């Protein structure tokens, strides 16, 4: 239960400066009009090991969803990895991980095979595990309960998950927020139900 002494994270409508996203169910369901925009969480992370789930209830056009982390509130009307947002995220469109680099945002790992069909017609849960404690900082993702292991495969055992090194990227900023979004300027509105551990989806 969410109390003053056991407070859970939610998505932050007060940081919604860029897009007309709507927030419902205690700010745990985000809906992006016309499938474009991003938002960040109320809690910022500096260290620790974290897990969060995003239940995609309506997939945006071309599977252009993103789940990841961002160092500050959304500045650009696009996915967390937009060069202006400086984030790191899993892109549903081609199943790769993007991050901001010195030359702009770019692919840092082909992850799930750099395949534009990995999330076709998918509705369900994407899980994200984040390690900001170990010497090597990593991010890992699961699809429908199975961890992506690389090479287009998945496994329910987390020890086999592909843990992508993000050490150099997270070193650029002190605080990181959970971020999600949609990256299509026109198309189906993306609707995501975020679970930070406070009850089940939609409650």
């Amino acid at each position: 239960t969410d109390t003053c002494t056991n407070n859970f994270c939610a998505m932050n409508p007060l940081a919604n400066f860029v897009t007309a996203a709507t927030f419902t169910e205690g700010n745990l369901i985000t809906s992006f009009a016309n499938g474009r925009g991003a938002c960040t969480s109320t809690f910022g992370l500096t260290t620790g090991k974290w897990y969060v789930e995003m239940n995609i209830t309506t997939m945006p056009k071309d599977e252009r969803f993103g789940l990841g982390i961002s160092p500050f509130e959304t500045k650009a009307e696009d996915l967390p990895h937009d060069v202006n947002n400086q984030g790191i995220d899993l892109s549903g469109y081609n199943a790769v991980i993007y991050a901001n680099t010195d030359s702009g945002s770019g692919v840092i790992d082909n992850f799930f095979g750099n395949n534009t069909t990995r999330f076709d017609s998918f509705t369900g849960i994407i899980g994200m595990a984040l390690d900001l404690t170990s010497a090597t900082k990593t991010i890992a993702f699961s699809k429908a309960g199975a961890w992506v292991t690389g090479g287009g495969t998945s496994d329910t055992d987390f020890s086999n998950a592909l843990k992508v090194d993000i050490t150099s990227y997270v070193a650029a900023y002190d605080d990181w927020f959970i971020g999600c979004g949609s990256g299509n300027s026109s198309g189906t509105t993306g609707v995501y139900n975020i679970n930070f551990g406070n009850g089940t989806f939609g409650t």
Side-chain angles (χ1 to χ4, degrees):
T1 303
D2 198 339
T3 69
C4 56
T5 55
N6 187 35
N7 197 221
F8 285 81
C9 188
M11 300 311 287
N12 190 358
L14 301 180
N16 184 28
F17 299 122
V18 179
T19 186
T22 57
F23 299 77
T24 55
E25 293 290 345
N27 300 326
L28 292 176
I29 294 180
T30 61
S31 176
F32 297 98
N34 294 320
R36 187 167 189 174
C39 62
T40 51
S41 62
T42 52
F43 288 7
L45 313 174
T46 58
T47 187
K49 295 183 179 182
W50 306 92
Y51 177 72
V52 62
E53 293 177 335
M54 183 173 83
N55 189 5
I56 302 174
T57 56
T58 303
M59 180 68 79
K61 184 180 179 182
D62 299 328
E63 294 73 47
R64 292 184 183 272
F65 71 85
L67 174 64
I69 55 177
S70 183
F72 35 63
E73 296 161 346
T74 300
K75 294 184 177 182
E77 193 179 50
D78 212 329
L79 293 164
H81 74 256
D82 181 273
V83 64
N84 295 301
N85 293 332
Q86 300 283 301
I88 304 164
D89 65 18
L90 168 65
S91 163
Y93 172 68
N94 53 350
V96 300
I97 294 181
Y98 281 97
N100 180 66
T101 64
D102 291 338
S103 59
S105 60
V107 175
I108 62 170
D109 196 285
N110 281 334
F111 199 62
F112 213 177
N114 199 359
N115 189 323
T116 56
T117 65
R118 287 288 177 202
F119 295 95
D120 279 5
S121 304
F122 176 76
T123 53
I125 297 171
I126 304 295
M128 178 177 70
L130 184 67
D131 181 354
L132 297 179
T133 295
S134 303
T136 300
K137 313 299 188 280
T138 61
I139 196 167
F141 291 93
S142 64
K143 175 187 176 185
W147 294 97
V148 176
T149 60
T153 61
S154 59
D155 195 308
T156 55
D157 188 341
F158 181 68
S159 66
N160 294 323
L162 174 60
K163 302 168 183 73
V164 177
D165 186 350
I166 56 172
T167 308
S168 62
Y169 304 103
V170 298
Y173 297 97
D174 292 330
D175 304 303
W176 290 86
F177 299 84
I178 304 301
C180 68
S182 298
N184 202 301
S185 59
S186 62
T188 306
T189 295
V191 181
Y192 315 133
N193 192 342
I194 313 297
N195 183 6
F196 292 104
N198 186 18
T200 57
F201 288 107
T203 64

